[in-house]
Amino acid sequence: MSLDATMPRATAPAILPGSGGMRGALSDLFWRRPKVLLLLMLLPPVLWLGIVYIGSLFALLAQSFFSIDEFSGLINRQFTLKTYGDLLQAANLDIILRTVTMAALVTLASAIIAFPIAYYAARYARGRWKALFYLGVMLPLWSSYLVKIYAWKLILAKEGILTWLLAKLNLLWLLDAWLSLPVVGGNSLSVSFTGTFIVFVYVWLPFMILPVQAALERVPGNLVEASSDLGASPGQTFRNVLFPLALPGIVAGSIFTFSLTLGDYIIPQIIGTSRLFIGQAVYSQQGTAGNIPLAAAFTVVPIVIMGFYLWGAKRMGAFDAL
């Protein structure tokens, strides 16, 4: 046996010596008080959120209680509810009702289209097919927002590919009959309420598919099989098993589709009629008319609506599906 094998080897100390100086003092402080480190890490984003985002919302809310002087056009910085009285005029209420109706219709249509797609991805897609599903859903989000809207404007135009296709199928009379309707119609789909609806659904549909698919992933397959074994029809299985369990995901997706439609002004500006939505009203009142208090009052409407909407969604467990 060699001498080296019999001699004990030197072991490293259990506690390393301190590094000393400012670096060592900070390291010791963060080790003894981890909450200090957590506070320092969260301080920059919290300050940014509190000052830039929430601070701007409070400033906006404060301006909604000002009024505009009818003679000079200057802002009267005295507390008043006159601006909210102007907001409740028939023309402004029509804008609010139109926007909320569009947001509700887009949300409903997105849920109807998204459910079968999400169900197939959750129940049957595996491996490569699931990767293709995620790629297909996410791919439209990677392209430019404006490019997609202008592309749809060309598709829906009177000389666009959709009109050409319907003419080839001898269905142009159906499109003309639809466009002749008073509210949803127009000279072409690109300048109609229907065209705005189609583009809204296309743009926001991925935000509905993914939460619904995540909710359906959590549904055990044996529940569907048990429902079938007990004699339930596919419709009964959907109403009593799948839909209640997928409802939090649908509500979670509706948060995106409803809120994004509620505040968007670019799509109605490019595709649609001259009838305004809330986003366009805010832009015109602040930019063209210079009525900042009324623009601020308009922006309070989506905030209040989404506040109640998020409160209801939280009660339904929608945030668990995000």
Side-chain angles (χ1 to χ4, degrees), residues 51 248 306:
I51 296 175
M306 286 311 302

Side-chain angles (χ1 to χ4, degrees), residues 51-278:
I51 296 175
V52 177
Y53 183 70
I54 299 181
S56 63
L57 286 180
F58 276 110
L60 189 66
L61 179 63
Q63 292 198 53
S64 67
F65 292 102
F66 299 155
S67 62
I68 197 80
D69 189 275
E70 298 178 357
F71 297 99
S72 64
L74 299 177
I75 298 176
N76 184 10
R77 301 184 181 275
Q78 292 181 354
F79 183 87
T80 180
L81 295 177
K82 179 179 178 300
T83 302
Y84 284 98
D86 296 338
L87 184 65
L88 297 178
Q89 291 180 357
N92 296 329
L93 285 177
D94 184 58
I95 294 173
I96 296 172
L97 180 61
R98 182 183 305 114
T99 307
V100 174
T101 302
M102 174 64 78
L105 291 176
V106 169
T107 299
L108 180 62
S110 298
I112 294 174
I113 297 172
F115 195 93
I117 300 173
Y119 180 77
Y120 176 82
R123 293 279 294 169
Y124 301 107
R126 296 291 183 271
R128 182 181 301 174
W129 290 107
K130 179 156 288 192
L132 288 175
F133 161 76
Y134 284 116
L135 181 63
V137 172
M138 299 297 292
L139 191 61
L141 300 178
W142 298 346
S143 59
S144 171
Y145 178 74
L146 286 174
V147 168
K148 290 186 291 186
I149 297 173
Y150 277 109
W152 270 104
K153 187 173 182 65
L154 294 176
I155 293 172
L156 300 175
K158 199 163 189 177
E159 299 82 11
I161 187 173
L162 184 60
T163 305
W164 172 83
L165 179 62
L166 292 176
K168 290 294 183 181
L169 297 174
N170 295 322
L171 294 175
L172 196 58
W173 61 270
L174 184 61
L175 176 62
D176 293 336
W178 181 263
L179 292 177
S180 64
L181 296 176
V183 177
V184 298
N187 293 330
S188 69
L189 284 175
S190 62
V191 287
S192 66
F193 193 85
T194 304
T196 309
F197 168 78
I198 292 173
V199 178
F200 268 133
V201 172
Y202 168 79
V203 172
W204 307 139
L205 184 60
F207 296 97
M208 177 65 78
I209 293 177
L210 294 177
V212 175
Q213 188 265 342
L216 290 174
E217 287 275 4
R218 300 188 181 99
V219 178
N222 55 8
L223 289 181
V224 180
E225 296 172 0
S227 176
S228 178
D229 293 340
L230 292 173
S233 65
Q236 291 174 326
T237 301
F238 171 77
R239 291 192 302 269
N240 300 319
V241 179
L242 282 177
F243 183 75
L245 294 176
L247 186 59
I250 296 174
V251 177
S254 70
I255 293 173
F256 296 106
T257 57
F258 190 82
S259 63
L260 292 172
T261 305
L262 206 60
D264 192 279
Y265 79 96
I266 297 178
I267 292 178
Q269 186 75 19
I270 298 175
I271 299 177
T273 64
S274 58
R275 295 190 291 267
L276 298 179
F277 286 75
I278 288 179

Side-chain angles (χ1 to χ4, degrees), residues 9-18:
R9 295 184 177 179
T11 58
I15 300 177
L16 296 177

